[in-house]
Amino acid sequence: SINAAIAAAAEITTASPIQIAVYFPSGTGGYMVRVANKTSAMITAPPCAICVTGSYLTLYGDPTRIYNAGAWSLVSGSVIRGEAIAIGPSLTTTYTNLTFSNLVIDGMTNGNNDEGYIGGTNRTTGDGWDNTDQGITAAGHHGDLHTDNILIDNVQIMDIKGEAVYFGGAYSDRLTIQNSTLQNTNGDGISVSSLRLTITNNVLANFGNSCIENGVLNATVYYHIINNHCYTADRNGIALPSVSNSPGAEVIQIENNEFVGCGVTQSLAGATLACVDLDYQIGSTGTVSGVTIINNTFKDFQAGINVNAANNLIICGNTFALDSYTSPFTQVGIRLSGGGSWTAT
């Protein structure tokens, strides 16, 4: 089986850290995977159809389609589907040097069917945001599960009820997502807690929340978000809600991206709906610093750029088009608040 092959490879790499590849040939027409025998324990530790239990592993196809059966079960009052690919579950191991490439992960749901991100999953229809249904994730959403040097390259993930890529409860150091297409999920496209995050040359489209959300509190961070296309995100294009409380510690590049239709359909109490939103996480204070927002294009939005309390912020060369979206709200190109120092041209 797939998991037996991965487990066998993981045993080898545990003994000797050499990179081992697990190949999914496409000649079979694809792979149907699912989680069977769902139990109440899976409510807090969602199960995985494909479980990556070691480091120094490459999972790749040519490209190859993996169907993650979208059928859901109601267990102890909670909807459970199961993650397509999950890393873990040890909380004492740092999972490192993992590559996922040339794969197509099909969640086999209606994805972002405009039923709403907030409010959990409907127990009658299975619709809504389902955090047991992600494309590639850190297993169990544990805050103590560590990953490092993760590469997602030339991967398509679609039709998911949660997030396409989710490391949002885990601690991740280096994470790169490139040359990929993530689309039609009822959560975020990318939701992670990564210290060194690189997102380049991707197409991100049709999400019930944001294209990209990354939050790390009280740490030095390096984000490079360059040459991406973000279309139709109900909340934000990029949301960086929690950065270091110490100014001057960040390097955050948001450059040469295209944002179309971000933050125009969802109404959330206390939420700022913007194509680029840099703000505190609730309960934290401080300033955003070391940020460049350069040569991006913004179309059809409620707010283009929203920044709260910034130092060493540079905004220049961006294009804002307000001509094709009829909004009940006041449209704003750039909103800066909370004090700080910036240059906007």
Side-chain angles (χ1 to χ4, degrees):
S1 69
I2 294 172
N3 284 327
I6 294 173
E11 287 186 13
I12 297 172
T13 61
T14 298
S16 178
I18 59 173
Q19 198 78 19
I20 292 181
V22 179
Y23 172 51
F24 296 79
S26 62
T28 60
Y31 297 82
M32 176 70 73
V33 297
R34 68 187 181 92
V35 173
N37 303 318
K38 297 168 184 173
T39 67
S40 58
M42 297 176 181
I43 297 172
T44 55
C48 46
I50 297 176
C51 307
V52 180
T53 55
S55 298
Y56 296 94
L57 297 173
T58 297
L59 276 61
Y60 75 104
D62 51 10
T64 304
R65 186 172 291 267
I66 296 173
Y67 298 93
N68 187 39
W72 55 277
S73 299
L74 190 65
V75 180
S76 299
S78 296
V79 170
I80 297 176
R81 284 185 170 87
E83 323 288 19
I85 298 176
I87 302 165
S90 171
L91 303 185
T92 60
T93 300
T94 296
Y95 296 90
T96 185
N97 289 73
L98 297 174
T99 296
F100 307 90
S101 66
N102 294 317
L103 298 173
V104 179
I105 300 172
D106 188 337
M108 301 184 69
T109 75
N110 60 3
N112 179 26
N113 197 38
D114 293 329
E115 68 267 20
Y117 170 75
I118 298 301
T121 314
N122 188 298
R123 297 180 184 181
T124 302
T125 66
D127 287 335
W129 176 55
D130 182 0
N131 67 358
T132 72
D133 183 29
Q134 272 114 16
I136 299 177
T137 184
H141 311 164
H142 292 291
D144 294 326
L145 194 154
H146 290 188
T147 62
D148 181 32
N149 200 19
I150 309 298
L151 172 63
I152 298 172
D153 181 30
N154 193 29
V155 171
Q156 296 181 53
I157 304 175
M158 66 192 74
D159 302 345
I160 302 283
K161 281 299 183 183
E163 284 72 30
V165 175
Y166 185 82
F167 290 69
Y171 171 94
S172 176
D173 189 355
R174 292 169 293 174
L175 173 62
T176 299
I177 303 170
Q178 62 188 26
N179 308 319
S180 295
T181 298
L182 313 179
Q183 61 187 18
N184 195 32
T185 79
N186 208 47
D188 294 318
I190 299 168
S191 181
V192 295
S193 298
S194 178
L195 296 177
R196 290 182 283 180
L197 176 66
T198 300
I199 301 176
T200 59
N201 300 316
N202 301 288
V203 175
L204 312 170
N206 191 23
F207 303 113
N209 206 47
S210 302
C211 287
I212 300 168
E213 184 174 8
N214 188 83
V216 177
L217 189 60
N218 295 329
T220 300
V221 297
Y222 301 90
Y223 305 152
H224 306 280
I225 303 173
I226 300 171
N227 293 331
N228 301 285
H229 301 274
C230 172
Y231 305 124
T232 316
D234 290 355
R235 189 172 184 175
N236 301 111
I238 298 174
L240 304 179
S242 52
V243 297
S244 170
N245 285 349
S246 301
E250 290 82 38
V251 175
I252 302 175
Q253 294 177 287
I254 302 173
E255 300 181 10
N256 298 310
N257 302 285
E258 181 185 33
F259 301 92
V260 180
C262 301
V264 298
T265 61
Q266 189 185 69
S267 178
L268 294 174
T272 299
L273 305 184
C275 293
V276 175
D277 182 33
L278 283 72
D279 208 338
Y280 319 138
Q281 191 172 30
I282 295 173
S284 68
T285 59
T287 57
V288 178
S289 60
V291 182
T292 57
I293 305 175
I294 298 175
N295 296 332
N296 302 282
T297 300
F298 301 89
K299 300 177 183 178
D300 302 350
F301 54 85
Q302 184 180 152
I305 299 170
N306 178 72
V307 181
N308 187 359
N311 284 320
N312 304 319
L313 169 66
I314 298 174
I315 301 175
C316 69
N318 300 286
T319 300
F320 300 88
L322 308 178
D323 56 343
S324 58
Y325 169 56
T326 302
S327 172
F329 309 100
T330 300
Q331 288 180 273
V332 178
I334 301 174
R335 181 191 293 122
L336 304 175
S337 60
S341 60
W342 54 72
T343 299
T345 59

